[in-house]
Amino acid sequence: MNEMDKLESILPEWLETSRLQSADGTVATYIPELSKAPQDLLGIQIMDKSGRAVSAGDTDFSFTLQSISKVFTLILALMDHGEDAVFSKVGKEPTGDNFNSMMKLELIQPAIPFNPLINAGAIVVSSLIKGDTAEHKSARILEFFRELAANPELDYDLGVYHSESETGHLNRSMAYFLLDKGILQGKVEEVLDVYFRHCSVKVNCADLARMALVMANNGTDPLTGKSLIPKRYVQIAKSFMITCGMYNGSGEFAIGAGMPAKSGVSGGILTFVPGRFGIGVVGPALNPKGNSIAGVDLIERLSREFEWSLF
Ligand code: GLU
């Protein structure tokens, strides 16, 4: 039996076992609109390079990209400006602090955020996206996400966008701090608008799996043959995903699953097996590190069974 056939036969049962973990997790509430997601929801789709997809659970559920979007805005900023310009404004190291922490920014000179996947770093990256206006920048990002997901219908969840835009005081204060330090340039409210918008792009597991498949295939969509990301930038993004893609649970996930991954507070996880599979998962109940509790359980068990770890 090949791997996809085996996945097809075991996935529904394995998913139901992992789903039980959801009871021990917590759905994010700090963006009020996110708190509406069902606690015990879990879905997964795995896609191979021929386009064959295997899925189980609540794959119809739509959720927002949140932090997962940061991987792709980083890539777009790299495509817009190159490595030297981007990494003069944002660092390359894990922090050990929470994703929304400002703590270290005050202690380091210059106040360059540690990496592009924490909020401060991702806000700086949003300021680097080319475009004449905030609308133009957001339109370029959305178009890029649509191409990666091969889904021209991708759009914002305006409820989540407004909910975060109205309550994102911490992100707002971080952005003004970075303006004061000269790291952020331009109109802060416009930069924040670009940031909140790309976090609020609505996807399902199939969209995530397809985006992940492009990453798994070094930036080329294997189904269309179209090159969407230069290989070097996939390599950079992949390194960040391994070292800081799962918040402060990244080390644990590297040991448990050994796959590049990025999670978001909505409970989404985009992960992949390089050269082979793109995987999209959603499970809104989060563990104490902020990653989908049932999603992590399922990915780690699959990785062990199929020996997907890179290490
Ligand atoms: N939009 C969210 C925020 O800035 C993203 C956080 C996340 O998914 O980690 O708080």
Side-chain angles (χ1 to χ4, degrees), residues 65-71 117 119 199 247 262-265:
L65 279 173
Q66 297 301 338
S67 268
I68 299 169
S69 62
K70 296 170 179 176
V71 172
L117 300 187
N119 287 8
C199 286
Y247 308 109
K262 182 72 201 93
S263 61
V265 284

Side-chain angles (χ1 to χ4, degrees), residues 20 76 83 90 148 175 195 268 280 301:
L20 300 173
L76 190 55
E83 287 178 52
V90 62
L148 291 164
Y195 174 76
R301 287 197 297 133

Side-chain angles (χ1 to χ4, degrees), residues 3-291:
E3 214 163 8
M4 284 305 257
D5 291 336
K6 184 167 172 198
L7 277 165
E8 196 149 55
S9 70
I10 66 165
L11 212 49
E13 196 184 318
W14 282 39
L15 180 127
E16 292 312 325
T17 307
S18 291
R19 194 199 291 275
L20 300 173
Q21 305 264 329
S22 307
D24 297 327
T26 316
V27 176
T29 54
Y30 79 100
I31 299 174
E33 195 67 18
L34 293 184
S35 64
K36 296 181 181 163
Q39 167 101 19
D40 69 344
L41 186 137
L42 186 62
I44 185 168
Q45 177 165 129
I46 303 174
M47 191 184 266
D48 73 10
K49 292 207 295 185
S50 72
R52 178 171 173 195
V54 171
S55 44
D58 305 301
T59 42
D60 288 342
F61 182 71
S62 293
F63 52 97
T64 50
L65 279 173
Q66 297 301 338
S67 268
I68 299 169
S69 62
K70 296 170 179 176
V71 172
F72 300 103
T73 48
L74 167 67
I75 289 171
L76 190 55
L78 287 165
M79 288 163 72
D80 278 355
H81 299 280
E83 287 178 52
D84 291 348
V86 170
F87 293 118
S88 69
K89 300 261 181 202
V90 62
K92 297 177 181 165
E93 305 301 335
T95 62
D97 298 326
N98 285 342
F99 69 100
N100 56 2
S101 174
M102 291 183 69
M103 203 158 63
K104 295 235 173 74
L105 277 183
E106 279 227 71
L107 302 174
I108 47 171
Q109 288 290 344
I112 290 177
F114 268 68
N115 69 63
L117 300 187
I118 53 170
N119 287 8
I123 292 169
V124 170
V125 169
S126 296
S127 79
L128 295 175
I129 302 300
K130 283 187 178 167
D132 299 333
T133 58
E135 289 74 35
H136 185 205
K137 291 174 193 193
S138 290
R140 287 191 62 231
I141 294 171
L142 185 59
E143 191 46 44
F144 186 48
F145 291 4
R146 285 176 173 167
E147 269 207 291
L148 291 164
N151 179 359
E153 317 259 281
L154 280 200
D155 218 330
Y156 307 112
D157 181 326
L158 289 175
V160 173
Y161 160 71
H162 288 298
S163 182
E164 181 167 21
S165 174
E166 281 156 23
T167 58
H169 313 306
L170 191 53
N171 284 326
R172 204 162 256 116
S173 61
M174 232 178 276
Y176 279 98
F177 180 88
L178 291 164
L179 176 72
D180 182 70
K181 296 292 175 202
I183 307 296
L184 248 190
Q185 265 113 28
K187 297 189 180 123
V188 177
E189 289 302 327
E190 289 190 6
V191 172
L192 283 164
D193 194 67
V194 173
Y195 174 76
F196 292 141
R197 274 188 190 275
H198 70 66
C199 286
S200 77
V201 171
K202 198 163 59 171
V203 293
N204 58 27
C205 290
D207 297 318
L208 278 195
R210 185 71 182 258
M211 294 171 99
L213 190 64
V214 174
M215 298 289 283
N217 199 39
N218 279 325
T220 299
D221 184 332
L223 303 179
T224 61
K226 204 168 163 192
S227 171
L228 299 175
I229 306 170
K231 189 175 168 193
R232 169 69 183 154
Y233 298 154
V234 173
Q235 187 184 35
I236 291 174
K238 210 169 14 178
S239 310
F240 281 120
M241 292 170 85
I242 288 282
T243 55
C244 24
M246 301 292 278
Y247 308 109
N248 290 334
S250 300
E252 218 174 293
F253 189 78
I255 292 167
M259 292 151 66
K262 182 72 201 93
S263 61
V265 284
S266 53
I269 302 176
L270 177 152
T271 185
F272 55 93
V273 183
R276 308 191 58 204
F277 303 114
I279 302 173
V281 177
V282 64
L286 308 178
N287 66 21
K289 297 280 168 62
N291 299 309

